[in-house]
Amino acid sequence: MSQQSTEPTLTGVRNFRDVGGVPTADGRRLRHGVLFRSGHLAHATPEDARFLGGLGLHTVFDFRNSADQALEGPDVELPGVRNLNIPLSDPADGAEFWKMVRDGELDQLRTVLADGQGAARMIASYRSMIKNRTAEHSRILHTLAEDSVPALMHCAAGKDRAGLSVAVTLMAVGVDQEAIEADYLRSNSPHRRYKMHRGAKGEVSPEVAELLSPLFDARAAYLAAAMTTIEETWGGVERYLTEGLGLDRATRERLQERMLEDG
């Protein structure tokens, strides 16, 4: 299956892709057509919805919180597909900050984002999601193991909350860190990136773009911070999966059976 055939140009859904083909440490690969990822589906066009409806999805995992959903709208309804909302951030967390980002003038943006503050905020967010969202990530993996593939995972832009949840899923089926990072960084492709629009003409000055770039980049340092948190808190991926997320051997074997090509 070609990359082009698995990555159509969707008009109202950004950062869509099939995660299939990612290699595992034991030489197998994630099946095509079992795990997709994207930005939110609230602005999907009828053509987009027809395409998504043809994927045979069982479950759409929506990791947005209520504030995101109020801002962007609910996902488009796909007939016969279950929509499971598992927020991975608190509506109050960063609400004032993101309003400042959307509405703020240059001086305000400099105050909160300059001198590495933007990247530091993202790193703190990734560390927090790993340490404080174990119940949610456990629920995601157990749901996938039970009956929920093919599945699509999304947040708002499909980069951070969805990116980290895909990474955790790939850890659970035995994908090594290098391959996880390679998939994560694909969100930086120009046709997938979040489009910044400010002002009446929708133009963004170079300085504003530079200040905002840490928020809209997928950076290896962000994913590395998540992995460092796993090491610091649980001593490694295996204990994170078993002790942090409560995954037993049988559950992991079911995940692999559902999601990996036959060895």
Side-chain angles (χ1 to χ4, degrees):
M1 187 177 293
S2 71
Q3 187 178 70
Q4 185 175 2
S5 67
T6 60
E7 294 187 14
T9 300
L10 299 180
T11 304
V13 180
R14 59 180 176 267
N15 204 6
F16 172 86
R17 62 187 184 270
D18 185 341
V19 186
V22 174
T24 61
D26 65 4
R28 291 184 286 176
R29 289 184 179 273
L30 198 75
R31 289 177 185 155
H32 286 282
V34 300
L35 181 61
F36 302 90
R37 55 180 294 177
S38 72
H40 69 74
L41 311 184
H43 301 159
T45 66
E47 292 78 12
D48 295 340
R50 278 194 291 273
F51 171 81
L52 295 168
L55 294 175
L57 295 172
H58 181 288
T59 300
V60 170
F61 291 89
D62 182 354
F63 303 133
R64 296 178 298 162
N65 61 47
S66 58
D68 298 325
Q69 292 178 334
L71 179 67
E72 297 150 356
D75 281 343
V76 65
E77 290 189 18
L78 301 175
V81 179
R82 176 178 63 168
N83 190 292
L84 190 57
N85 181 219
I86 304 179
L88 291 178
S89 58
D90 189 297
D93 287 347
E96 184 176 335
F97 168 79
W98 284 105
K99 185 178 188 305
M100 188 181 299
V101 168
R102 288 193 299 272
D103 304 336
E105 297 300 326
L106 186 55
D107 287 345
Q108 291 177 298
L109 293 175
R110 284 194 190 114
T111 299
V112 296
L113 296 175
D115 301 320
Q117 292 180 89
R121 173 177 283 272
M122 296 302 296
I123 285 171
S125 174
Y126 275 61
R127 290 178 67 93
S128 176
M129 273 193 285
I130 285 292
K131 195 165 186 177
N132 300 322
R133 298 289 173 173
T134 52
E136 290 87 344
H137 283 131
S138 176
R139 182 183 176 196
I140 292 162
L141 294 179
H142 282 91
T143 301
L144 287 172
E146 289 162 11
D147 62 356
S148 298
V149 295
L152 184 149
M153 296 183 179
H154 79 79
C155 48
K159 175 178 73 74
D160 302 311
R161 289 166 289 185
L164 197 50
S165 296
V166 168
V168 169
T169 302
L170 295 179
M171 288 178 212
V173 298
V175 176
D176 64 28
Q177 179 61 22
E178 184 177 346
I180 290 172
E181 181 182 287
D183 173 73
Y184 169 76
L185 292 175
R186 288 173 66 193
S187 289
N188 285 327
S189 299
H191 68 287
R192 296 193 181 98
R193 290 179 64 88
Y194 188 92
K195 301 296 189 294
M196 291 182 272
H197 298 292
R198 292 181 72 247
K201 297 181 180 180
E203 297 174 351
V204 177
S205 73
E207 185 176 357
V208 168
E210 184 176 354
L211 287 168
L212 293 177
S213 65
L215 311 181
F216 300 124
D217 289 347
R219 297 188 179 181
Y222 302 163
L223 192 60
M227 298 305 299
T228 298
T229 304
I230 288 173
E231 291 289 337
E232 292 172 350
T233 309
W234 292 278
V237 169
E238 287 302 312
R239 283 183 56 196
Y240 167 65
L241 293 172
T242 57
E243 298 176 18
L245 304 187
L247 285 188
D248 58 24
R249 182 187 296 272
T251 302
R252 291 181 70 178
E253 288 176 350
R254 284 200 305 274
L255 275 171
Q256 292 177 327
E257 288 170 5
R258 290 184 181 279
M259 303 186 76
L260 298 183
E261 295 174 351
D262 294 333

